[in-house]
Amino acid sequence: AVLTSPSGKEARFPYRYIAAPAGAAAVAEAATASGTLSGPAAGGGKLSVSLANFSIVYRASDVSVTWGGSQVPVARLRRSDSASTEIVLAVPPGVPGVTLVTVHPAGAPSNAASFSFTYEDDTLPEVLGVSPSEIYSDGGGRVTLRLAKVDGGAVAADASVTVRFSDGTEAAAQGLSLSRPAAQSASAGRAVLTFDVPAGAPGRAQVEVSVAGKSPASGPVALTVIADPSSPPTVSLSPERGFCDGTLQVTA
């Protein structure tokens, strides 16, 4: 190419023509800041997408994005050349489940690429801790679960706990109690769920919890069931003898 000034001076530089992409584009990479293709149903955050075999574009508005049937704008066009096109999207709100996202140059729907984004239900309860994590197999042991994101109006009658034992049997827990620590923020939905574990086979058990019809996204809570001691406990004292002046400390 030649650039000529009004005075007749010329500047020459190379200019390369390339063939337009043929067929569909492809998603080379797509991820949020956490490195996943998922996020809360409330939306928010940025999603970076790298496309191959995509027509060169010069503005963010030159890219059309259909997110679950709705058009969303491109927040930023990072680069676009014959090697790749990189864009940034703001994740819109959605409903829990998988949503299809399709990207193509405006006016060229055949040069499209698609990927799936998963919305997580961020209203599901969250298990913060379990105590104790081991319990005897004769039943009656009381377990406490510390929970978050529990509906504010939920009471013990709204909760259910089922224990699946290692031998495949299952039984409903009894004596459920649901309380809310006064020191915890109400907005976090903190709650304490306690229950009595029924008798069952020793081994690793799975505790399925539901509060107000919602179960933790992390799935069942693991609980180790151990066999009852087969013999009476033994006691040893150290030291086994000493003076009777009342100053001796004994460890049992």
Side-chain angles (χ1 to χ4, degrees):
V2 179
L3 180 64
T4 305
S5 70
S7 62
K9 293 183 178 180
E10 295 182 348
R12 297 176 179 270
F13 57 92
Y15 187 87
R16 183 167 61 98
Y17 286 97
I18 59 173
V27 177
E29 185 177 1
T32 61
S34 62
T36 66
L37 270 174
S38 61
K46 302 295 185 182
L47 175 66
S48 298
V49 183
S50 178
L51 302 156
N53 195 45
F54 196 82
S55 295
I56 297 174
V57 293
Y58 303 98
R59 298 178 301 272
S61 58
D62 292 337
V63 182
S64 176
V65 179
T66 304
W67 192 294
S70 300
Q71 290 289 318
V72 297
V74 173
R76 179 185 174 191
L77 175 63
R78 282 182 173 162
R79 61 173 286 186
S80 183
D81 54 32
S82 59
S84 68
T85 293
E86 297 177 4
I87 61 175
V88 177
L89 305 174
V91 178
V95 295
V98 178
T99 297
L100 181 66
V101 182
T102 301
V103 184
H104 64 79
S110 62
N111 187 218
S114 299
F115 60 91
S116 295
F117 185 88
T118 301
Y119 282 107
E120 300 166 346
D121 190 347
D122 46 3
T123 66
L124 294 178
E126 179 182 346
V127 178
L128 303 179
V130 55
S131 179
S133 59
E134 293 184 341
I135 201 160
Y136 285 120
S137 60
D138 60 350
R142 198 151 181 83
V143 171
T144 297
L145 293 180
R146 293 185 294 108
L147 305 172
K149 298 182 180 179
V150 175
D151 289 348
V155 295
D158 299 320
S160 65
V161 177
T162 301
V163 183
R164 298 183 185 276
F165 294 97
S166 59
D167 62 354
T169 61
E170 63 179 60
Q174 302 297 320
L176 273 64
S177 172
L178 185 67
S179 61
R180 299 180 184 275
Q184 299 290 355
S185 169
S187 62
R190 300 294 177 90
V192 175
L193 177 65
T194 55
F195 54 90
D196 297 325
V197 177
R204 192 171 183 83
Q206 300 293 322
V207 181
E208 297 182 350
V209 180
S210 175
V211 181
K214 297 180 179 180
S215 298
S218 56
V221 179
L223 187 67
T224 300
V225 180
I226 56 178
D228 300 328
S230 57
S231 59
T234 58
V235 179
S236 61
L237 300 178
S238 177
E240 295 182 346
R241 63 179 64 187
F243 294 108
C244 58
D245 57 0
T247 61
L248 182 66
Q249 290 187 340
V250 177
T251 300

